[in-house]
Amino acid sequence: MSELPKKLAAAVAAFHCSHIDADFNTDARDCMIDIFPSMEDLLLKMATNQTASSRMKELTLELGVEGCSKLFDAATKSYREQDIPCHADLHMFNIMVEKKPQIDLFSEQDDIFGENGTFCICDWEMTMKGPLGLDMGRVYSIPVACILAHAISGNSDVVDGIIAWLNLYWKEYSDTMTKKSGQSTNFLCKSYRNAMAWLGWKLYAISIFEWFVPFFPIESGDVGSLKESVGVVGFTLMKLGFGEGGEGLTVDDLHSRLNSTISDEIDHIKSSRRGRPSLRRKSSILRQSNRRVSDAFKGMGRESLKKMISDLSQVGLDK
């Protein structure tokens, strides 16, 4: 496995132990909170729609309108907390990694990593003093969405590798925060539970706004299934993190609940796709192209990025 998760976790932990003024970049906090009402409105519409049929609707009906609103009340309260310095937008498309050993666009060897695990965190414009777990939730969001995308394509065999990556990240982060920074068990519990909450928030946002969906390893005909699965996992994690479901749980308990939430959805996906052949495993267009871009390009889909790469190659600008 790449050295990246350990090095990334250690770097993030070091940043979280640094100092940042409480009033630094407060406009970024309000900018993000401004989108919460629209997310809540969409959730409440599901909770009150008596005709539509979906698993998300069933989950919202079970929690009720008041319960759904409380999730966003808790999210707003959490986002205003000032526990540690936060990048606040630390998802995978804002982490540039070293060039892979080969650059064949459609190589079968699409799982090769750079040998040094070198990386650079970019797009710091949302940085602020914020809540525990926010950055970890962002880090986990794209990998978890990719787990579900691969499962929908019949490639659930890649799940263990991604889960192992996430587990290694948490182990290194928690070890660094406890051994080098003297943080307590309560600190880790709150960090992990908040991470589940903000991971859920991000997945729910991906589901309703289709953030990053064009970059995921999924066929266009399966995007609807992916959005539903991402939404179900996201909503479940929001209930555990922002609701009452995760109160009083240990880190091990929370870790187990996160894994079971993902595995339960994978089981549902497997049962839903019985009889369908597995598709050839597909990496995201960014990995296939060996391009390292931030979410400044998130409006660019798979086909447009392919064309751009081809055009650059023809004029020799991809060297």
Side-chain angles (χ1 to χ4, degrees):
M1 180 179 291
S2 167
E3 287 293 308
L4 178 59
K6 293 178 65 175
K7 291 184 176 182
L8 176 63
V12 172
F15 171 59
H16 286 172
C17 293
S18 64
H19 172 75
I20 188 172
D21 290 337
D23 59 353
F24 176 77
N25 204 24
T26 53
D27 288 346
R29 186 192 321 276
D30 293 332
C31 177
M32 181 59 68
I33 289 176
D34 282 346
I35 73 171
F36 287 14
S38 62
M39 297 176 69
E40 180 180 356
D41 286 346
L42 290 170
L43 195 63
L44 296 183
K45 285 181 180 178
M46 282 187 268
T48 56
N49 190 332
Q50 299 299 320
T51 58
S53 177
S54 70
R55 289 190 295 141
M56 272 294 292
K57 172 180 163 43
E58 292 174 2
L59 290 173
T60 56
L61 284 174
E62 180 182 342
L63 186 60
V65 171
E66 183 179 356
C68 290
S69 289
K70 285 183 177 179
L71 293 182
F72 277 92
D73 290 342
T76 302
K77 180 181 178 181
S78 174
Y79 208 76
R80 293 196 182 281
E81 291 179 348
Q82 298 183 338
D83 299 320
I84 55 173
C86 293
H87 180 284
D89 201 21
L90 193 60
H91 55 75
M92 290 300 177
F93 293 146
N94 280 340
I95 303 170
M96 301 177 72
V97 298
E98 68 181 292
K99 190 175 183 179
K100 292 164 61 178
Q102 47 78 34
I103 59 172
D104 183 358
L105 180 58
F106 298 107
S107 170
E108 294 289 336
Q109 295 179 295
D110 58 7
D111 58 347
I112 297 177
F113 293 90
E115 61 182 9
N116 298 317
T118 306
F119 67 93
C120 176
I121 298 172
C122 59
D123 289 1
W124 291 81
E125 69 271 13
M126 299 297 291
T127 301
M128 63 178 186
K129 192 168 186 180
L132 294 172
L134 177 63
D135 283 342
M136 179 173 157
R138 298 290 197 262
V139 168
Y140 276 36
S141 61
I142 303 301
V144 171
C146 284
I147 285 174
L148 301 176
H150 281 303
I152 289 170
S153 297
N155 298 314
S156 54
D157 56 303
V158 305
V159 169
D160 289 344
I162 300 177
I163 292 292
W165 196 103
L166 298 177
N167 289 343
L168 185 57
Y169 176 92
W170 168 250
K171 183 179 186 305
E172 184 67 24
Y173 178 83
S174 59
D175 285 350
T176 301
M177 296 303 286
T178 52
K179 294 177 181 178
K180 297 183 179 180
S181 305
Q183 296 295 349
S184 66
T185 300
N186 288 338
F187 175 95
L188 294 181
C189 282
K190 184 177 179 181
S191 293
Y192 204 99
R193 188 180 176 207
N194 275 11
M196 292 172 68
W198 288 112
L199 167 58
W201 182 95
K202 189 74 170 183
L203 293 176
Y204 170 63
I206 289 173
S207 173
I208 59 175
F209 296 138
E210 298 190 14
W211 289 347
F212 315 115
V213 168
F215 292 137
F216 290 144
I218 191 78
E219 298 294 334
S220 58
D222 288 325
V223 167
S225 297
L226 175 63
K227 289 170 59 179
E228 180 180 59
S229 287
V230 167
V232 167
V233 172
F235 185 71
T236 302
L237 294 177
M238 286 178 69
K239 289 195 298 179
L240 286 168
F242 291 136
E244 299 177 355
E247 290 182 354
L249 297 181
T250 66
V251 171
D252 288 342
D253 292 335
L254 292 167
H255 180 71
S256 177
R257 295 291 288 273
L258 173 60
N259 285 343
S260 65
T261 299
I262 295 171
S263 63
D264 286 349
E265 185 59 24
I266 292 173
D267 289 342
H268 174 84
I269 291 170
K270 287 180 177 179
S271 66
S272 299
R273 70 178 317 280
R274 283 176 184 160
R276 290 181 56 190
S278 297
L279 302 176
R280 177 185 177 275
R281 179 182 168 186
K282 177 187 293 184
S283 290
S284 73
I285 185 61
L286 298 180
R287 287 206 66 198
Q288 286 183 353
S289 63
N290 213 26
R291 287 301 187 273
R292 297 162 289 169
V293 302
S294 73
D295 65 356
F297 292 93
K298 68 183 179 183
M300 187 180 299
R302 172 176 290 269
E303 296 305 319
S304 58
L305 189 54
K306 280 183 181 178
K307 184 178 186 304
M308 181 194 75
I309 294 164
S310 176
D311 291 344
L312 290 175
S313 178
Q314 290 178 21
V315 297
L317 295 180
D318 63 336
K319 306 300 183 183

